[in-house]
């Protein structure tokens, strides 16, 4: 067609140009064997990166397996996964190691994290006290996910909140770390909290579910 410029036609208008989604770093933290690696794996849309080593007799007396005797492997550095919440928001998930001897890595893992999930094994909530403390001290917003092993949730969220002395603004959610939908709900609750805390809500906008 006379006068038309194919190059100009091919170029999208500025408003139509693809916009890179916001990426947000989230930690999945908590005590030894509470289900962190399981949660990152269940919710990640990419094959998760794992750094697990087998628990062997060499760890006797070092690894406290009370209550989790069947555990066969443990995270020694981190888990990594990704979940796209909407076309504007992608979460990068970093699972922390749970054993006390690897806690020195938490400081590095926390750099740049906007928020965290503190997972709790409903049978051993005390194993995640230190994780709650870690995020409270650093002012990193977090939600608590109560992983009901064997799908059982004997305690209502309010009872868990009381036992952990959590303030009212920290959401407590019952979950199953093995279930994608359940793990996603915990992440959405965290996003809700982050959005509520963001000044004027300008940094993040609520994703569609
Ligand atoms: N029955 C049951 N098993 C679970 C659940 N969540 C995790 N597990 C199992 O519990 C074990 C420990 O889970 P992990 O995900 O490795 O726990 P972790 O918190 O990453 O452990 P560390 O990295 O060693 O601190 C694994 O064998 C999981 O398959 C659950 O909700 N129910
Ligand atoms: Mg792990």
């Amino acid at each position: 067609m006379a006068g038309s410029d194919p190059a100009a036609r091919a170029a999208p208008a500025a408003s139509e140009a693809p916009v890179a989604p916001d990426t947000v770093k989230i930690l999945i933290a908590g005590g030894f064997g509470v289900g962190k690696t399981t949660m990152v794996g269940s919710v990640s849309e990419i094959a998760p990166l794992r750094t697990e080593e087998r628990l062997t007799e060499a760890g006797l007396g070092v690894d406290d397996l009370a209550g989790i005797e069947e555990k066969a492997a443990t995270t020694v550095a981190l888990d990594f996964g990704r979940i796209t919440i909407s076309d504007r928001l992608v979460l990068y998930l970093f699972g922390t190691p749970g054993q006390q001897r690897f806690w020195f890595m938490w400081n590095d893992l926390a750099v740049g994290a906007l928020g965290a999930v503190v997972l709790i094994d409903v049978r051993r909530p005390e194993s995640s006290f230190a994780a709650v403390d870690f995020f409270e001290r650093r002012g990193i917003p977090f939600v608590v996910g109560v992983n009901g092993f064997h799908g059982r949730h004997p305690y209502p969220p309010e009872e868990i909140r009381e036992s952990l002395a959590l303030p009212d603004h920290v959401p407590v959610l019952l979950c199953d770390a093995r279930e994608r939908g359940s793990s996603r709900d915990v992440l959405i609750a965290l996003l809700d909290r982050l959005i509520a805390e963001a000044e004027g809500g300008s940094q993040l906008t609520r994703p569609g579910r």
Side-chain angles (χ1 to χ4, degrees):
M1 203 190 300
S4 67
D5 175 356
R9 264 188 289 144
S15 60
E16 293 168 11
V19 179
D22 287 330
T23 55
V24 172
K25 178 180 180 181
I26 300 292
L27 293 192
I28 311 293
F32 180 32
V34 297
K36 302 176 295 294
T37 299
T38 304
M39 176 172 269
V40 173
S42 75
V43 83
S44 179
E45 64 202 9
I46 55 169
L49 169 78
R50 290 181 176 155
T51 60
E52 289 196 292
E53 291 295 337
R54 272 191 330 120
L55 286 162
T56 65
E57 284 184 5
L60 286 177
V62 180
D63 305 328
D64 181 7
L65 287 168
I68 45 171
E69 289 80 4
E70 286 168 16
K71 193 163 165 48
T74 189
T75 302
V76 295
L78 78 161
D79 307 300
F80 176 74
R82 188 189 73 198
I83 175 170
T84 301
I85 299 291
S86 72
D87 55 4
R88 295 187 48 199
L89 186 61
V90 172
L91 306 187
Y92 288 124
L93 307 175
F94 289 75
T96 64
Q99 294 196 66
Q100 199 164 356
R101 58 199 167 110
F102 299 127
W103 283 357
F104 68 91
M105 275 181 263
W106 286 37
N107 282 326
D108 286 341
L109 284 171
V111 173
L114 232 59
V117 172
V118 174
L119 256 192
I120 285 183
D121 176 343
V122 73
R123 307 162 303 176
R124 309 173 292 120
E126 69 286 352
S127 70
S128 291
F129 282 174
V132 167
D133 201 42
F134 179 90
F135 295 109
E136 272 181 347
R137 278 168 191 266
R138 283 160 183 77
I140 298 175
F142 64 97
V143 299
V144 167
V146 184
N147 191 15
F149 272 68
H150 309 296
R152 283 197 288 272
H153 283 291
Y155 311 110
E158 281 318 306
E159 219 166 295
I160 308 250
R161 175 190 304 288
E162 233 171 82
S163 73
L164 292 173
L166 291 170
D168 287 346
H169 62 266
V170 176
V172 178
L173 296 108
L174 306 183
C175 69
D176 185 333
R178 299 166 299 177
E179 298 286 333
R180 177 179 164 81
S182 179
S183 299
R184 190 175 187 276
D185 286 348
V186 174
L187 291 170
I188 297 286
L190 174 61
L191 287 175
D192 281 344
R193 181 165 179 208
L194 293 177
I195 291 162
E197 292 199 1
E199 277 180 33
S202 57
Q203 291 178 25
L204 290 168
T205 48
R206 198 173 196 298
R209 294 197 189 205

